[in-house]
Amino acid sequence: MAYDQHGRKIDYIRISVTDRCNLRCLYCMPEEGVAWKPHDAMLSLEEIREFVRIAASAGFARVRLTGGEPLVRLGIVDLVRDIVATPGIESVAMTTNGILLPTVAVALREAGLERVNISLDTLDPAIFTQITRWGDINDVFAGIDAALAVGFDPVKVNAVVVRSLQQDLLGFARLSIDRPLHVRFIEYMPVGDASGSDGLGWSTADTIPNEELISLISQQAAEAGIGALLPLNADTSPKGWGPARYYHFAGALGTVGFISALSRHFCGECNRLRMTAEGQIRPCLFSDQEYDVRAALRAGDDAAVRSVLAEALAAKPDEHHDRIGTDRLMSQIGG
Ligand code: SAM
Ligand code: SF4
């Protein structure tokens, strides 16, 4: 079992398998994509497998694959299968934009992937294309359908809330009523600097605090005759309770969650490390401190990999202390 110096059990690792993507979300990636890097800067699939084997032996039981877009990484289904089969690994999940799910959902499910989080920040087709620079929202809807059809459980839809986007918040929340979809609203975080030149220029003023969001949605729901959002507890919330607070509409098949990365209650429950596609371990999303595990992996030195993990664990801060910006973009960190 791995514990950090603040007594938190750290058994979850988010692994970025690529910093590339088939979309270019304005707040995540510049239009031209990621800067060219030599092929061997990235961990190979074999190196990721080795890392998971060693991390599992050090007490990391839960893995989430992310990116960039994990489904654009060649060999992703085989990687999922191998991670699922790794002794000590209890659960494997993925965060994806959903675009490629219609073609790979069946294979991923058969490979043992249990759950997916699908990112979707607007329900408006034109705004979706604007945010992603060229995406088609119908591909994401098809991805959500495919995820439910193959039985991923839970299927979560993550929406970053941005005040100036004027999203249809009730429309998102309603997605949880007729199907077992767990819609989660995530506070916008000014991570990296993708909002610059051609971005939307979103700032901290665009962050809508959760309390405000919950009362906005409850009010809209009441006006629409849907009824109030009712709070759930850890037993009635979807698997992977994590840092979200969950609610539901009476009789709904899914739930509505709220994640406040900026409030500090999040830090006290932190259970994770992150690894970038280049094999850099990040103890905290909001710190640019990184620990290189790639060299140890390439040297085939299990003990050295364990000691990098231990160093990263020891460096986990108690909280982010109001530092919310990072030098790297989310696509480079692995969101
Ligand atoms: N491509 C996959 C996807 O979009 O789900 C996985 C990687 S993406 C970096 C993971 C998540 O990070 C997405 O839900 C995205 O909305 C979120 N994200 C990216 N930049 C963000 C930011 N500045 N603030 C909050 N969330 C952000
Ligand atoms: Fe790609 Fe996900 Fe970043 Fe959008 S949020 S650019 S889909 S990595």
Side-chain angles (χ1 to χ4, degrees):
M1 234 23 117
Y3 285 87
D4 73 1
Q5 57 175 344
H6 308 289
R8 294 172 299 200
K9 183 171 142 195
I10 312 294
D11 64 351
Y12 175 36
I13 186 130
R14 296 172 72 105
I15 299 177
S16 171
V17 296
T18 178
D19 58 1
R20 283 156 204 274
C21 189
N22 45 2
L23 296 179
R24 296 283 184 276
C25 300
L26 290 166
Y27 53 85
C28 181
M29 205 181 268
E31 183 158 22
E32 63 278 11
V34 292
W36 184 87
K37 292 191 193 105
H39 181 65
D40 66 358
M42 298 293 150
L43 292 188
S44 66
L45 294 182
E46 191 45 41
E47 287 162 350
I48 296 175
R49 282 184 196 103
E50 276 301 284
F51 173 75
V52 171
R53 177 182 66 74
I54 300 166
S57 73
F60 288 84
R62 297 182 295 134
V63 172
R64 175 171 296 277
L65 300 176
T66 180
E69 173 50 40
L71 295 182
V72 304
R73 177 88 197 236
L74 284 179
I76 187 72
V77 173
D78 292 335
L79 180 66
V80 166
R81 186 177 301 109
D82 292 342
I83 293 178
V84 168
T86 303
I89 293 298
E90 290 166 10
S91 140
V92 184
M94 183 179 283
T95 299
T96 170
N97 59 31
I99 299 273
L100 294 174
L101 273 180
T103 47
V104 289
V106 170
L108 287 169
R109 187 75 193 99
E110 284 172 3
L113 189 71
E114 282 175 28
R115 49 183 87 179
V116 288
N117 291 359
I118 300 172
S119 305
L120 180 63
D121 300 329
T122 177
L123 297 174
D124 181 306
I127 295 177
F128 181 82
T129 303
Q130 186 199 351
I131 294 177
T132 59
R133 292 198 175 91
W134 57 63
D136 180 345
I137 200 167
N138 292 312
D139 294 338
V140 184
F141 291 147
I144 293 172
D145 293 346
L148 289 170
V150 302
F152 289 128
D153 181 24
V155 176
K156 296 179 183 170
V157 173
N158 288 345
V160 175
V161 179
V162 180
R163 197 184 292 275
S164 55
L165 255 185
Q166 301 187 321
Q167 291 139 306
D168 176 5
L169 300 172
L170 182 60
F172 270 110
R174 272 179 196 270
L175 295 177
S176 71
I177 295 178
D178 296 332
R179 299 195 290 173
L181 275 178
H182 303 282
V183 177
R184 303 190 315 162
F185 293 106
I186 301 175
E187 270 181 1
Y188 172 62
M189 303 173 270
V191 176
D193 183 25
S195 59
S197 53
D198 59 348
L200 288 177
W202 298 339
S203 68
T204 25
D206 278 310
T207 302
I208 306 185
N210 275 344
E211 299 308 330
E212 185 183 340
L213 202 55
I214 294 168
S215 69
L216 261 175
I217 294 174
S218 294
Q219 191 188 329
Q220 291 174 4
E223 280 165 17
I226 297 173
L229 273 177
L230 310 168
L232 293 168
N233 59 34
D235 295 331
T236 46
S237 289
K239 278 183 270 177
W241 162 255
R245 282 190 291 161
Y246 283 97
Y247 292 74
H248 77 149
F249 292 120
L253 296 178
T255 62
V256 182
F258 297 87
I259 301 183
S260 166
L262 303 185
S263 81
R264 292 180 183 173
H265 83 271
F266 188 97
C267 301
E269 294 160 29
C270 189
N271 56 2
R272 65 200 60 187
L273 291 179
R274 292 181 147 79
M275 182 171 73
T276 70
E278 292 158 291
Q280 303 297 311
I281 307 231
R282 293 178 67 106
C284 172
L285 173 62
F286 295 125
S287 157
D288 286 311
Q289 211 178 4
E290 296 183 343
Y291 293 81
D292 178 26
V293 82
R294 185 178 61 190
L297 279 170
R298 290 193 175 160
D301 186 341
D302 286 21
V305 171
R306 274 197 201 93
S307 96
V308 176
L309 273 169
E311 256 184 280
L313 263 184
K316 270 187 81 61
D318 57 340
E319 56 174 63
H320 58 68
H321 295 279
D322 292 334
R323 183 191 151 94
I324 52 170
T326 65
D327 295 340
R328 291 213 205 209
L329 294 171
M330 208 67 136
S331 53
Q332 298 167 314
I333 297 170

